[in-house]
Amino acid sequence: MKAMKPLVDRAGVLERNWRCMNDEVPERRALPQGVAAQHRYLADGIKKLRRSLGGSEPAARTLLDALLGDFGQHFALEERLMDRGGYPGIIGHRQEHASFLEKIRAMRARSDDSSSELMGVLADTLHSWFSKHEESSDRQAAEYLKID
């Protein structure tokens, strides 16, 4: 059986569509344009969260909440790119995103009633999962879609 060709020019149209979609969510912080730039932005956010853990716990929680919003926004845009590009692994990729967010949000809810130790575990979990996901699932999708 032949692989289906994407319905769009993966290199050009997807990136232009991505830029338009980034403007569709004005109530949220604007993420950088380009998937690779967003990945760097999210990785920097995780680093800031980890550095904040030695200080004010409410500040760390505020950073985490903002970061979770950024991840949700990034995942939604990434999934739209995969959908529009006909990426065959989109179902599994979506499931990875959903289970990750569910796990982190559940941990975040418990951190309100717990010590800052859970915030450290949360930051480590974010870092570990995102690094692995970026190097495996995201890399596969990017290679198929021919985007950075």
Side-chain angles (χ1 to χ4, degrees):
M1 183 177 204
K2 277 186 165 182
M4 292 181 60
K5 284 187 173 183
L7 300 175
V8 296
D9 163 34
R10 291 186 237 169
V13 174
L14 282 172
E15 197 62 26
R16 285 191 299 279
N17 285 340
W18 184 91
R19 286 188 189 108
C20 293
M21 289 184 288
N22 199 32
D23 295 334
E24 291 176 10
V25 196
E27 70 279 0
R28 295 190 181 167
R29 297 188 311 183
L31 296 179
Q33 293 188 1
V35 174
Q38 280 196 5
H39 282 187
R40 287 188 299 274
Y41 178 84
L42 293 169
D44 287 346
I46 294 169
K47 288 177 190 170
K48 286 177 188 172
L49 174 64
R50 292 173 103 180
R51 284 192 305 264
S52 76
L53 294 177
S56 163
E57 202 169 311
R61 285 194 172 94
T62 300
L63 273 172
L64 175 61
D65 291 341
L67 193 55
L68 285 175
D70 293 342
F71 267 105
Q73 182 180 359
H74 170 71
F75 289 164
L77 296 172
E78 193 176 82
E79 290 166 11
R80 286 184 195 169
L81 281 176
M82 288 186 279
D83 188 46
R84 290 180 181 179
Y87 180 57
I90 189 171
I91 293 172
H93 206 112
R94 268 193 183 125
Q95 289 170 340
E96 287 180 33
H97 289 165
S99 64
F100 168 72
L101 285 176
E102 183 179 324
K103 177 181 180 176
I104 296 299
R105 287 179 177 143
M107 289 176 74
R108 168 62 181 98
R110 286 194 311 270
S111 75
D112 280 339
D113 302 321
S114 185
S115 69
S116 60
E117 188 175 307
L118 184 55
M119 287 296 287
V121 171
L122 231 161
D124 290 344
T125 302
L126 272 170
H127 172 74
S128 175
W129 183 90
F130 185 60
S131 297
K132 290 175 187 169
H133 180 77
E134 185 179 27
E135 289 300 316
S136 59
S137 299
D138 281 349
R139 182 177 299 246
Q140 290 171 355
E143 286 172 3
Y144 179 85
L145 298 169
K146 307 240 186 293
I147 58 174
D148 294 327

